[in-house]
C-alpha cells in the first residue's frame, strides 16, 4: 500500500474564506470511508484578490481515494443545491500526491 494525500484547492472571494471553511467543521461522509486517515482544512487570506482554502485528505492507498471520488456519497456531498445567495467559490483544483517520506513525533518512534 502507498499512502497518498489529495489536496483540493478552493479559490474563494476575498473575505469569504472563514465562511467557506465553516462548512467543513462537522464530519461528513468522507470520514466514514474505508482507507480514510484524516482531513485538514487550511485557509490562506494573504492574497489581495481572493482567499485560498486547501482541503487535504490523507488515505491509506490511492484505491480508497478513488473509491470515494467515484462514490454516490461524494456526488451527493457536492450536489449543486439552489443557494440562498450566490456562492463565494470562484473555482477549484484537485491534485494528488504519493507520500514518500513521513516523520512522526519523536515519542512515537521506537528506540533501540
Amino acid at each position: 500500500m502507498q499512502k497518498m494525500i489529495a489536496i483540493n484547492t478552493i479559490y474563494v472571494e476575498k473575505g469569504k474564506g472563514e465562511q467557506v471553511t465553516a462548512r467543513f467543521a462537522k464530519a461528513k461522509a468522507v470520514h466514514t470511508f474505508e482507507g480514510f486517515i484524516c482531513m485538514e482544512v487550511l485557509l490562506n487570506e494573504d492574497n489581495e484578490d481572493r482567499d485560498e482554502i486547501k482541503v487535504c485528505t490523507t488515505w491509506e492507498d490511492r484505491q480508497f481515494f478513488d473509491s470515494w471520488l467515484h462514490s454516490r456519497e461524494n456526488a451527493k456531498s457536492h450536489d449543486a443545491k439552489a443557494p440562498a445567495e450566490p456562492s463565494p467559490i470562484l473555482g477549484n483544483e484537485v491534485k494528488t500526491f504519493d507520500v514518500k517520506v513521513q516523520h512522526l513525533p519523536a515519542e512515537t518512534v521506537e528506540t533501540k
Side-chain angles (χ1 to χ4, degrees), residues 38-49:
C38 71
M39 174 189 283
E40 295 175 303
V41 180
L42 314 174
L43 173 60
N44 182 317
E45 299 173 298
D46 291 343
N47 193 309
E48 287 184 14
D49 57 342

Side-chain angles (χ1 to χ4, degrees), residues 20-31 39 41:
V20 175
T21 59
R23 299 178 187 179
F24 295 92
K26 290 188 178 184
K28 306 270 193 301
V30 68
H31 299 87
M39 174 189 283
V41 180

